[in-house]
Amino acid sequence: MDSIVRTMRIVWRAELLIIEAKLSVAAKKIGATAFAGLIFVFGLGMLNVAGFFALAEIWGPVYAALGVAIADFLIAALLMVWGSRLTTGPELDLAREVRDSGLEELEAKAEDIQDEFVELRSELYALKANLVSFSKNPLDGAITALLTPILTLLIKSLSSKKE
Protein backbone atom coordinates (compact mmCIF):
# COMPACT_ATOMS: atom_id res chain seq x y z
CA MET A 1 0.00 0.00 0.00
CA ASP A 2 2.93 2.33 0.70
CA SER A 3 4.17 1.94 -2.86
CA ILE A 4 0.77 2.95 -4.21
CA VAL A 5 0.80 6.10 -2.08
CA ARG A 6 4.39 6.82 -3.14
CA THR A 7 3.49 6.35 -6.81
CA MET A 8 0.46 8.60 -6.44
CA ARG A 9 2.68 11.28 -4.87
CA ILE A 10 5.10 10.99 -7.79
CA VAL A 11 2.23 11.35 -10.26
CA TRP A 12 0.91 14.36 -8.31
CA ARG A 13 4.33 16.03 -8.30
CA ALA A 14 4.74 15.38 -12.02
CA GLU A 15 1.34 16.97 -12.65
CA LEU A 16 2.40 19.98 -10.58
CA LEU A 17 5.61 20.30 -12.62
CA ILE A 18 3.59 20.17 -15.84
CA ILE A 19 1.22 22.84 -14.57
CA GLU A 20 4.11 25.02 -13.38
CA ALA A 21 5.85 24.73 -16.76
CA LYS A 22 2.68 25.63 -18.61
CA LEU A 23 2.00 28.56 -16.29
CA SER A 24 5.56 29.79 -16.73
CA VAL A 25 5.22 29.78 -20.51
CA ALA A 26 1.79 31.42 -20.28
CA ALA A 27 3.23 34.15 -18.05
CA LYS A 28 6.08 34.73 -20.51
CA LYS A 29 3.62 34.88 -23.40
CA ILE A 30 1.44 37.35 -21.53
CA GLY A 31 4.49 39.42 -20.63
CA ALA A 32 5.72 39.43 -24.22
CA THR A 33 2.29 40.39 -25.47
CA ALA A 34 1.99 43.17 -22.90
CA PHE A 35 5.45 44.40 -23.77
CA ALA A 36 4.52 44.33 -27.45
CA GLY A 37 1.45 46.38 -26.63
CA LEU A 38 3.50 48.85 -24.63
CA ILE A 39 5.98 49.22 -27.47
CA PHE A 40 3.08 49.63 -29.82
CA VAL A 41 1.70 52.49 -27.75
CA PHE A 42 5.08 54.19 -27.38
CA GLY A 43 5.75 53.55 -31.03
CA LEU A 44 2.58 55.28 -31.97
CA GLY A 45 3.42 58.15 -29.72
CA MET A 46 7.10 58.87 -30.19
CA LEU A 47 8.04 57.27 -33.48
CA ASN A 48 4.98 58.60 -35.16
CA VAL A 49 5.82 62.14 -34.20
CA ALA A 50 9.47 61.81 -35.21
CA GLY A 51 8.70 59.88 -38.37
CA PHE A 52 5.95 62.19 -39.32
CA PHE A 53 8.18 65.26 -39.12
CA ALA A 54 10.95 63.45 -41.03
CA LEU A 55 8.70 62.21 -43.80
CA ALA A 56 6.39 65.21 -44.01
CA GLU A 57 8.99 67.16 -45.94
CA ILE A 58 9.53 64.32 -48.47
CA TRP A 59 6.10 62.64 -48.86
CA GLY A 60 3.74 65.19 -47.54
CA PRO A 61 1.74 65.01 -44.32
CA VAL A 62 -0.74 62.25 -45.34
CA TYR A 63 1.76 59.72 -46.69
CA ALA A 64 4.19 60.42 -43.87
CA ALA A 65 1.54 59.52 -41.26
CA LEU A 66 0.64 56.33 -43.20
CA GLY A 67 4.28 55.21 -43.47
CA VAL A 68 4.90 55.70 -39.75
CA ALA A 69 1.76 53.76 -38.81
CA ILE A 70 2.67 50.81 -41.06
CA ALA A 71 6.15 50.64 -39.48
CA ASP A 72 4.60 50.58 -35.98
CA PHE A 73 2.20 47.81 -36.90
CA LEU A 74 5.01 45.70 -38.35
CA ILE A 75 7.09 45.99 -35.18
CA ALA A 76 4.12 45.05 -33.00
CA ALA A 77 3.27 42.08 -35.26
CA LEU A 78 6.84 40.79 -35.04
CA LEU A 79 6.73 40.93 -31.25
CA MET A 80 3.36 39.15 -31.19
CA VAL A 81 4.73 36.35 -33.42
CA TRP A 82 7.77 35.98 -31.18
CA GLY A 83 5.59 35.81 -28.06
CA SER A 84 3.28 33.20 -29.58
CA ARG A 85 6.19 30.93 -30.51
CA LEU A 86 7.46 30.53 -26.95
CA THR A 87 7.25 26.90 -25.85
CA THR A 88 8.00 24.86 -22.78
CA GLY A 89 11.43 23.38 -22.31
CA PRO A 90 12.62 19.81 -21.81
CA GLU A 91 11.48 19.83 -18.16
CA LEU A 92 7.89 19.46 -19.35
CA ASP A 93 8.76 16.32 -21.33
CA LEU A 94 10.57 14.87 -18.31
CA ALA A 95 7.61 15.62 -16.05
CA ARG A 96 5.26 13.95 -18.53
CA GLU A 97 7.48 10.86 -18.65
CA VAL A 98 7.51 10.60 -14.85
CA ARG A 99 3.73 11.06 -14.73
CA ASP A 100 3.13 8.44 -17.41
CA SER A 101 5.41 5.87 -15.78
CA GLY A 102 3.73 6.48 -12.43
CA LEU A 103 0.31 6.00 -13.98
CA GLU A 104 1.47 2.78 -15.65
CA GLU A 105 2.72 1.50 -12.29
CA LEU A 106 -0.58 2.39 -10.64
CA GLU A 107 -2.48 0.59 -13.40
CA ALA A 108 -0.35 -2.53 -12.93
CA LYS A 109 -0.91 -2.49 -9.17
CA ALA A 110 -4.63 -1.96 -9.67
CA GLU A 111 -4.73 -4.98 -11.97
CA ASP A 112 -2.91 -7.06 -9.32
CA ILE A 113 -5.39 -5.96 -6.67
CA GLN A 114 -8.27 -6.76 -9.00
CA ASP A 115 -6.85 -10.25 -9.62
CA GLU A 116 -6.57 -10.79 -5.86
CA PHE A 117 -10.19 -9.74 -5.39
CA VAL A 118 -11.33 -12.11 -8.15
CA GLU A 119 -9.42 -14.95 -6.51
CA LEU A 120 -10.84 -14.08 -3.10
CA ARG A 121 -14.35 -13.94 -4.56
CA SER A 122 -13.99 -17.40 -6.13
CA GLU A 123 -12.69 -18.78 -2.81
CA LEU A 124 -15.65 -17.25 -0.99
CA TYR A 125 -18.07 -18.77 -3.51
CA ALA A 126 -16.43 -22.18 -3.00
CA LEU A 127 -16.66 -21.77 0.78
CA LYS A 128 -20.30 -20.79 0.47
CA ALA A 129 -21.01 -23.84 -1.68
CA ASN A 130 -19.29 -26.10 0.85
CA LEU A 131 -21.20 -24.55 3.75
CA VAL A 132 -24.49 -24.90 1.88
CA SER A 133 -23.83 -28.55 1.10
CA PHE A 134 -22.72 -29.19 4.69
CA SER A 135 -25.78 -27.47 6.12
CA LYS A 136 -28.09 -29.54 3.91
CA ASN A 137 -26.57 -32.86 4.96
CA PRO A 138 -23.87 -32.59 7.62
CA LEU A 139 -23.39 -36.35 7.88
CA ASP A 140 -22.21 -36.61 4.27
CA GLY A 141 -19.29 -34.31 4.94
CA ALA A 142 -18.45 -35.99 8.24
CA ILE A 143 -18.69 -39.48 6.78
CA THR A 144 -16.47 -38.52 3.85
CA ALA A 145 -13.95 -36.90 6.16
CA LEU A 146 -13.91 -39.89 8.55
CA LEU A 147 -14.39 -42.68 6.05
CA THR A 148 -11.15 -42.07 4.15
CA PRO A 149 -8.82 -42.47 7.16
CA ILE A 150 -10.81 -45.47 8.47
CA LEU A 151 -10.61 -47.26 5.13
CA THR A 152 -6.91 -46.51 4.90
CA LEU A 153 -6.32 -48.02 8.36
CA LEU A 154 -8.48 -51.03 7.51
CA ILE A 155 -6.58 -51.73 4.29
CA LYS A 156 -3.25 -51.41 6.09
CA SER A 157 -4.31 -53.74 8.86
CA LEU A 158 -5.64 -56.34 6.39
CA SER A 159 -2.48 -56.21 4.32
CA SER A 160 -0.28 -56.57 7.42
CA LYS A 161 -2.26 -59.66 8.60
CA LYS A 162 -1.74 -61.40 5.22
CA GLU A 163 2.00 -60.94 5.38
Side-chain angles (χ1 to χ4, degrees), residues 67-136:
V68 171
I70 289 173
D72 290 338
F73 289 137
L74 284 175
I75 291 170
L78 288 174
L79 283 172
M80 292 291 284
V81 168
W82 173 76
S84 68
R85 291 182 185 247
L86 287 175
T87 60
T88 58
E91 66 273 356
L92 181 62
D93 295 332
L94 178 63
R96 283 185 178 149
E97 277 184 38
V98 170
R99 178 197 60 194
D100 292 343
S101 68
L103 288 175
E104 287 173 5
E105 187 176 337
L106 282 176
E107 287 173 1
K109 289 179 182 180
E111 287 175 4
D112 291 342
I113 290 172
Q114 183 179 6
D115 292 342
E116 289 177 16
F117 276 121
V118 167
E119 185 179 322
L120 180 64
R121 184 183 69 181
S122 64
E123 289 176 6
L124 287 174
Y125 281 145
L127 180 63
K128 177 185 170 189
N130 288 337
L131 287 174
V132 167
S133 70
F134 181 75
S135 67
K136 287 182 180 177

Side-chain angles (χ1 to χ4, degrees), residues 135-146:
S135 67
K136 287 182 180 177
N137 196 355
L139 287 179
D140 282 346
I143 289 174
T144 306
L146 291 175

Side-chain angles (χ1 to χ4, degrees), residues 35-50:
F35 187 64
L38 182 66
I39 287 177
F40 181 77
V41 169
F42 283 132
L44 288 176
M46 298 304 288
L47 249 176
N48 288 345
V49 171

